[in-house]
Amino acid sequence: MDYTIRIGGEAGQGLQTIGGVLAKVFARSGLHVFTHQDYMSRIRGGHNFYQIRLSDREVMSSREKVDILIALDLNTISIHRGSLSEEGIIIYDAAFIKKGFDSPEFLNIPFEAIAVEAGGNRIMANTVATGAVLGILGMDLNIFEDIIRERFSKKGEEIAGKNIASARAGFDHAVKVCTRCDFAVPEPGGTPLMLINGNEATGLGALMSGCRFYAAYPMTPSTGIMIFLASKAKEYGIVIEQAEDEISAINMALGASFAGTRAMTGSSGGGFALMVEGLSLAAMTETPIVIAEVQRPGPATGLPTRTEQADLLFVLHAGHGEFARVVLAPGTPEQAFYLTNKAFDLAEKYQIPVFILSDQHLADSEWTFRGLDTGRLRHNDYKLRSEALESISVYKRHRLTENGISPMAVPGESGHLIVTDSDEHDEEGHMIEDAETRIKMTQKRLLKKLPLIRQEIEPPLLYGSERPDIVIAGWGSTYGVMKEAVDVFSGDYAIAMLHFSELYPFPSTEKFDYLSVLGNARLSLCIENNATGQFSRLMRAETGYKFDAGINKYDGRPFTLEGLSGELDAHISKL
């Protein structure tokens, strides 16, 4: 069982409401879900769609063929009718879009009229549509009704009751009129699954890592992290600051971190550009900070609500001067959760900036999981606390040490003076000009730390054949579609995926000799959502390895399973 539902219409018509509720119903039924959103950067109007893929097995990418199309406007039918599967259904409200269709794939369900007849009002048309989809799929309404009661609990039983009546009416109407519906969804009974997107998982990882200060200026698609943390602020005592711009945001976070609080900031490409001077300040003052850079297509404003992986080299090289940094690029919400925790640990352990490099596709896509294991999280306090400070007669914030890591005390926790400076400084934090100290500080901040940090970086994940003839490699949000593409071809070929989620320092081959896997393959392909193959270039610069070819997509949309499979087939057929 593997179905795709697409809800299309204008911004403001409630696509996310219908899609979000359906995804939640499926997840609570124990079904696996993958959702993605395609929306324009406007409050109302334009064409948008919300897509849900549901299955009784794990799914982690979007498909192009649609089994149920919910058309909230006429434009949706024009754009997506060609994507309908052979047995697919288009449901629509002929009275609302002012047009009827006689073809068998069309199912007219008067959403607004049914809502009114059921005792509700026109606003409840989306509830009717949601109930209708569940009727078409042959599912029951129990979970949906529970969700309605939860959602409208503050508005009273009357509102909840009218919505439930509208849902039942939509459900009954669909069952009655859909004579060609032949969908088979397993009965609920499995363990409900966790439904979470990339931004929520990043926020949850920060929360569980002890982050207590987050400053940002809202910028799509990174804003979801701030919204998630703000929703937990009161419960967990987190300070959320909506700064006047990204320059302020990163400097506020640095101030909070210097004062002893785990702090984070986040933005997208253009906003991160404003943070670059603050990034260098973090490096010079060795102030720990975690920065979420959630990519969108640029340059400048670009496509604000769409996806791309084109900031990799920017993030790697941003900032003036030379300093240590870490770049982590999760491929799933689960990875986002654990890697954000790792980011906080590495940032404090080595007193460096650490990036979570995500993108719109991962940020907004929802995945189902059986749960997240908090036992795997790191909880280390690397700061020099009061008892340890009492045994030190003279404290030097930037003391030269064998491993380059200076003792990091918290201002106000002892009588020691804690000084740092954005100018080059001595061990006590006072500015200097002499060449000898400059060399020692550069060695401390950069050359001594980097080899230690590299040992913490995990190698890429190998999935598929252990001795592959064909290897596809990628990073970040291409994880899901690459993994499913390997499954598509694995029956006929020895194929495998190498997925890199920890990008810098570039993983060594000591833990896993991935270069041998690539070297022994007859065909190696690098899959990226950018035009120039930024990861491919990084791989060659760091290891000397050159992929046989690249598959690059840079139209602002993510890879689909059919799209990537088609591209792969074109390369494989030449072997």
Side-chain angles (χ1 to χ4, degrees), residues 12 33 113 174 219 275 374 468 475 480 539 572:
V33 172
M219 186 171 187
M275 293 184 178
T374 56
W475 59 284
M539 168 75 95
I572 293 172

Side-chain angles (χ1 to χ4, degrees), residues 510-521:
E510 292 179 4
K511 295 179 182 176
F512 167 44
D513 188 4
Y514 56 87
L515 288 178
S516 292
V517 174
L518 288 164
N520 292 330

